[in-house]
Amino acid sequence: MKKLLLMASISFGAIVAAQETKTAAPAADTVKAWSIQGQNTLMLNQAAFSNWVGGGANNVGWLAGVNYNLTYEKGKDLWENIIILGYGQNNTQGTGVRKTQDVINLSTNYGREFAKNWYYSMGASLQTQFAPGYEDGNNPDAKKISNFFAPGYLNLGAGVTYRPNDNFTMTLRPANARWTFVLDKDLQKAGTYGLKNDGDSSLFQFGFLGTAIYKLKIMENISLINTGSVFSNYLDHPDRLVLGYSGVLNMKINKYISTNVTLDLLYDHNQIKKTQLKQTLGVGLAYNIDNGKKRSENKDNQGWLKK
């Protein structure tokens, strides 16, 4: 009987010890290497008139877009991917359907940290549009001035990236190849988008590219995303800088409804020797995604795109 009690005591003690060991095990790291932040939007606008002496034309419009940032952060590795797609139209009585928004902007950048917040990096980007554009307010009866991959811009280069927190990223590429594609044969004329000869479908440039993204939380439910870029072609007129700026002001009404104001500025000597400006305002549906927590040390303002 004594032997039986002794064996039972030893067994019970072993079970308790095993449970304590299991409880004392360190908690798993719940910080994900992948982080996905994005916004899906659908903006609508409409106006109707009947016997209105002030005048006006019935119209209805829409604008849809996605803006995603997919980031991999682990150890010394940093890989950021950006997907921006947008398209919109407006149908006005007596005028017909006109394009109001058209953008395809894809980029990827991989970096390896060599000092705090500094990374050796290399990456690529692609910009173009979905549909044709016309000289007279996108009137299809007017002269065509653009189309899908006419122009299209492909950048491929290497340099350094500075990223002190999740709200600011700056990339400097002293070695950057830039191809301009004009795949619409109607637009393959000498001088169009910098083409050297009639029938050319592409233009190669090599130079410096600098880009920066700054995300600012102005106040609760109001955020501003600033994106800027500069390119200088070493091979021909390096003083003719290609300058770009994009600002997106997002004002959330609630979880699913928001107001977006966008401003785009561009100067490209090969396109037109004037500053280009585009501004849009929309109110509609917006659904945000925020999946994963980044490993960056400074997270004070990481809530710029929270649901």
Side-chain angles (χ1 to χ4, degrees), residues 79 108-112 119-124 156-161 171 173:
W79 183 22
T108 183
N109 190 64
Y110 169 77
R112 181 75 175 176
Y119 301 79
Y120 294 120
S121 64
M122 63 182 299
L156 179 63
V160 296
T161 295
T171 298
R173 295 180 187 160

Side-chain angles (χ1 to χ4, degrees), residues 55-169:
N58 298 340
N59 66 82
V60 61
W62 63 274
L63 189 155
V66 297
N67 188 331
Y68 276 75
N69 189 317
L70 295 82
T71 304
Y72 177 86
E73 241 181 312
K74 189 172 184 180
K76 293 182 178 294
D77 295 317
L78 172 65
W79 183 22
E80 290 190 288
N81 304 274
I82 296 175
I83 301 172
I84 300 175
L85 305 173
Y87 192 79
Q89 291 180 325
N90 184 277
N91 189 348
T92 302
Q93 186 178 27
T95 304
V97 177
R98 298 288 187 270
K99 180 172 63 173
T100 57
Q101 175 78 307
D102 193 355
V103 60
I104 300 174
N105 192 336
L106 311 174
S107 65
T108 183
N109 190 64
Y110 169 77
R112 181 75 175 176
E113 190 174 30
F114 65 90
K116 185 177 181 180
N117 302 326
W118 286 93
Y119 301 79
Y120 294 120
S121 64
M122 63 182 299
S125 65
L126 174 67
Q127 296 92 33
T128 185
Q129 58 185 29
F130 289 100
Y134 300 90
E135 195 171 59
D136 181 18
N138 294 315
N139 180 0
D141 296 326
K143 178 183 177 182
K144 181 167 56 176
I145 57 175
S146 61
N147 206 341
F148 178 70
F149 261 88
Y153 297 99
L154 174 63
N155 286 282
L156 179 63
V160 296
T161 295
Y162 175 64
R163 190 171 183 274
N165 54 62
D166 293 338
N167 298 310
F168 181 75
T169 302

Side-chain angles (χ1 to χ4, degrees), residues 202-262:
S202 65
L203 171 71
F204 175 76
Q205 297 173 300
F206 185 81
F208 169 85
L209 175 66
T211 62
I213 300 176
Y214 178 55
K215 306 167 186 176
L216 174 65
K217 183 177 181 180
I218 299 175
M219 60 180 63
E220 191 66 29
N221 294 331
I222 300 180
S223 62
L224 176 64
I225 306 175
N226 302 277
T227 304
S229 65
V230 57
F231 175 76
S232 175
N233 179 23
Y234 298 148
L235 306 179
D236 184 25
H237 293 287
D239 55 308
R240 294 178 180 173
L241 302 178
V242 179
L243 303 172
Y245 167 80
S246 174
V248 179
L249 180 66
N250 179 258
M251 295 172 283
K252 290 174 54 179
I253 299 173
N254 57 36
K255 185 176 180 180
Y256 298 107
I257 300 176
S258 70
T259 297
N260 279 355
V261 181
T262 69

Side-chain angles (χ1 to χ4, degrees), residues 178-197:
R178 185 176 192 250
W179 288 270
T180 300
F181 296 99
V182 182
L183 302 187
D184 189 322
K185 292 185 178 180
D186 296 336
L187 301 175
Q188 294 175 356
K189 307 293 183 183
T192 302
Y193 299 113
L195 296 181
K196 301 299 183 182
N197 307 290

